[in-house]
């Protein structure tokens, strides 16, 4: 199989089965700089959407991949080296993935970009959206995620609620518990 720049896997995932990853970003582009991130420190902290990786490159790789792998995946998953919803051409990639009928399309997201109307509109194309929740407290949210300036937890949750009014797919919240940070009785409650 040929090497790809924007696709990785398929990988075996406990929650998604055999999943092909799509990376729509240059490392490490995110609106958070989470203390737990396996990708390391955020080098480009932003809430600004741009076509960080050209959609036509991702789609071409996906079309090439589909020739050999059709019917062998459980999910095509947008994730990668930052927050995938920051790519302004995400909708084009989502539509191409669905058109190729490889598998249902999932977006793993920190959920913060759902404050943006265009992100909410683009994500309507996904079959499954999985945002992360770590706390219901603003102070803990700021401590864990170190978000881009001005981003507040209440706004993020409001964005989720707006999205859910129109979304017809599955929405599964991933809860992240960090020892000594958000694992107290008060936090868990």
């Amino acid at each position: 199989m040929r090497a790809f720049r924007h696709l990785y896997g398929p990988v075996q995932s406990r929650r998604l089965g055999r999943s092909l990853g799509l990376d729509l970003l240059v490392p490490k582009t995110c609106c958070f700089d989470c203390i737990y991130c396996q990708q390391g420190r955020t080098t480009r902290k932003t809430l600004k959407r741009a076509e960080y990786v050209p959609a036509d490159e991702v789609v071409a790789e996906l079309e090439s991949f589909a020739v050999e792998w059709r019917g062998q995946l459980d999910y095509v998953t947008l994730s990668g080296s930052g927050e995938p919803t920051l790519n302004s051409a995400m909708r084009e990639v989502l539509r191409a993935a669905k058109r190729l009928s490889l598998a249902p399309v999932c977006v793993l997201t920190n959920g913060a970009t759902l404050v943006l109307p265009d992100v909410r509109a683009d994500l309507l194309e996904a079959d499954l959206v999985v945002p992360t929740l770590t706390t219901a407290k603003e102070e803990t949210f700021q401590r864990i995620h170190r978000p881009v300036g001005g981003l507040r937890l209440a706004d993020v949750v409001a964005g989720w609620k707006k999205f859910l009014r129109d979304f017809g797919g599955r929405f599964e919240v991933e809860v992240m518990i960090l020892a000594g940070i958000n694992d107290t009785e008060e936090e868990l409650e």
Side-chain angles (χ1 to χ4, degrees):
M1 183 165 72
R2 73 173 259 218
F4 295 104
R5 289 184 53 212
H6 308 296
L7 276 58
Y8 57 95
V11 297
Q12 191 61 40
S13 164
R14 281 189 307 245
R15 61 185 163 175
L16 298 176
R18 183 179 249 178
S19 174
L20 174 68
L22 306 183
D23 192 352
L24 306 183
L25 299 168
V26 293
K28 164 91 176 7
T29 306
C30 194
C31 46
F32 286 169
D33 186 15
C34 300
I35 61 175
Y36 61 82
C37 185
Q38 72 274 14
Q39 297 287 331
R41 294 298 305 253
T42 297
T43 53
R44 181 175 291 155
K45 188 161 43 170
T46 185
L47 196 56
K48 183 178 185 315
R49 296 185 84 199
E51 194 171 2
Y52 294 101
V53 169
D56 59 342
E57 288 181 16
V58 178
V59 171
E61 287 187 9
L62 196 53
E63 289 169 342
S64 177
F65 180 89
V67 172
E68 293 181 43
W69 284 87
R70 191 174 315 283
Q72 299 180 56
L73 298 173
D74 296 306
Y75 277 96
V76 173
T77 306
L78 278 64
S79 60
S81 54
E83 175 51 44
T85 62
L86 286 172
N87 190 309
S88 59
M90 175 183 64
R91 182 184 294 202
E92 184 179 335
V93 173
L94 287 168
R95 285 183 173 167
K98 292 189 77 145
R99 175 181 49 80
L100 290 168
S101 299
L102 281 165
V105 182
C106 172
V107 179
L108 300 180
T109 174
N110 63 32
T113 56
L114 287 166
V115 300
L116 304 172
D118 55 334
V119 169
R120 292 193 302 268
D122 289 353
L123 279 177
L124 294 175
E125 302 287 335
D127 297 300
L128 171 62
V129 174
V130 182
T132 302
L133 179 67
T134 57
T135 184
K137 297 180 171 290
E138 182 65 34
E139 181 181 329
T140 309
F141 174 80
Q142 295 292 328
R143 180 177 174 202
I144 291 173
H145 298 296
R146 301 180 296 205
V148 68
L151 191 59
R152 302 189 47 80
L153 177 61
D155 298 328
V156 172
V157 172
W160 292 17
K161 289 177 180 178
K162 288 177 185 175
F163 175 67
L164 286 170
R165 281 187 233 143
D166 299 320
F167 186 52
R170 285 183 24 228
F171 188 82
E172 297 179 2
V173 177
E174 173 185 61
V175 176
M176 180 77 66
I177 308 279
L178 299 134
I181 297 174
N182 66 344
D183 62 347
T184 64
E185 288 296 322
E186 182 183 5
E187 282 281 349
L188 294 173
E189 188 176 311

